[in-house]
Amino acid sequence: MIQSPFNCHFELTLELIGGKWKGLILWHLHDKKVLRNGEMLRLIPRITQKMLTQQLREMEENGLIRRVIYEQVPPKVEYSLTPHGEAIRPILEMMIDWGVEYAKDKNILIACTQQ
Amino acid sequence: MIQSPFNCHFELTLELIGGKWKGLILWHLHDKKVLRNGEMLRLIPRITQKMLTQQLREMEENGLIRRVIYEQVPPKVEYSLTPHGEAIRPILEMMIDWGVEYAKDKNILIACTQQ
DNA sequence: TACTGTACATACTAAAAGGTAACTATTAAA
DNA sequence: TTTAATAGTTACCTTTTAGTATGTACAGTA
């Protein structure tokens, strides 16, 4: 048997939800259930089209999100979470809770108005 | 009031425990309570001295770990978790659990023998 | 006198991640 | 005929993160 599943499984999870944008995209998908490309660009103003597409493609390949294309013009593409993507929610929530506690204790003022 | 604490607090947490080695270091500290530099190098064979020192310093600065120097030769320095560092444990555990489930479902074989 | 053990530091290089700007395709409406 | 709307792609550049190799300090032991 495996001595400790830590290293690999932690790194696996970190690889799939790490990076600058994935957590945020997942969070909005948790919130809204279904989102289109343009809606995400509006929800996450500082992300670029390139980064959004790139992160969505990676998460689709990893089976965290679903991509549904409607054959029409102008194009319509909808994104939503798979069960694996939904299962990540408690991790995101705990990370937020920890961050809130930490910021409170360290007196870190975070202005997240733009969102 | 803040519209959504997500972006910033999630990013804050990710900044503090992300990267290639921090989670692993924290995990070993959870396990052993107190560790010295050399012990960590042995527990994490693929880490280099430079990366270990760098990550330890960052986590010390962020208040996740404690560094105690004994004034003796050859030098002795002990590392342990602060309360904030200990509070991260459930996040690490959930990340591992999710990774295990995901790997099982996707038939990803992970050989973590070296650890 | 040279070597050992412990815990570093530093300069340099390589690789990964992220960002910018400009371009593509399609159909309908003005 | 030009413009709008949507969802991209691509080439190039910058920044961040990680890795390699070598050097430092000090007291005790061989």
Side-chain angles (χ1 to χ4, degrees), chain B residues 19-21 50-51 73:
Chain B
K20 191 165 173 183
W21 303 110
K50 182 204 153 187
M51 289 312 290
V73 172

Side-chain angles (χ1 to χ4, degrees), chain B residues 11-12 40 93 107 110:
Chain B
E11 282 183 6
L12 175 65
M40 289 198 234
E93 278 170 349
N107 272 310
I110 297 186

Side-chain angles (χ1 to χ4, degrees), chain B residues 95-111:
Chain B
M95 289 178 75
I96 296 166
D97 291 349
W98 186 91
V100 169
E101 278 306 306
Y102 180 87
K104 198 188 291 173
D105 183 65
K106 297 276 173 186
N107 272 310
I108 300 172
L109 274 182
I110 297 186

Side-chain angles (χ1 to χ4, degrees), chain A residues 19-21 48 50-51 55 73-75:
Chain A
K20 193 166 174 180
W21 303 110
T48 60
K50 180 203 151 188
M51 288 311 289
Q55 304 304 301
V73 172

Side-chain angles (χ1 to χ4, degrees), chain B residues 3-111:
Chain B
Q3 222 189 354
S4 158
F6 178 73
N7 192 355
C8 27
H9 291 102
F10 175 79
E11 282 183 6
L12 175 65
T13 304
L14 196 59
E15 202 183 300
L16 299 189
I17 68 168
K20 191 165 173 183
W21 303 110
K22 282 180 182 167
L24 192 47
I25 294 169
L26 290 172
W27 189 254
H28 284 297
L29 282 171
H30 280 303
D31 188 34
K32 311 279 181 171
K33 308 303 176 198
V34 177
L35 283 171
R36 298 178 62 181
N37 180 80
E39 293 176 306
M40 289 198 234
L41 286 177
R42 262 165 267 132
L43 286 168
I44 312 170
R46 288 181 305 167
I47 201 173
T48 60
Q49 177 65 67
K50 182 204 153 187
M51 289 312 290
L52 180 59
T53 305
Q54 191 175 299
Q55 304 304 301
L56 287 171
R57 286 295 186 290
E58 284 178 26
M59 290 195 286
E60 190 197 356
E61 215 170 286
N62 296 145
L64 302 187
I65 64 176
R66 206 178 286 120
R67 181 164 174 263
V68 178
I69 305 164
Y70 296 84
E71 293 292 355
Q72 61 185 57
V73 172
K76 177 177 172 183
V77 178
E78 283 184 347
Y79 298 92
S80 56
L81 294 170
T82 64
H84 279 306
E86 281 174 10
I88 281 177
R89 177 160 203 168
I91 297 177
L92 300 180
E93 278 170 349
M94 290 201 73
M95 289 178 75
I96 296 166
D97 291 349
W98 186 91
V100 169
E101 278 306 306
Y102 180 87
K104 198 188 291 173
D105 183 65
K106 297 276 173 186
N107 272 310
I108 300 172
L109 274 182
I110 297 186

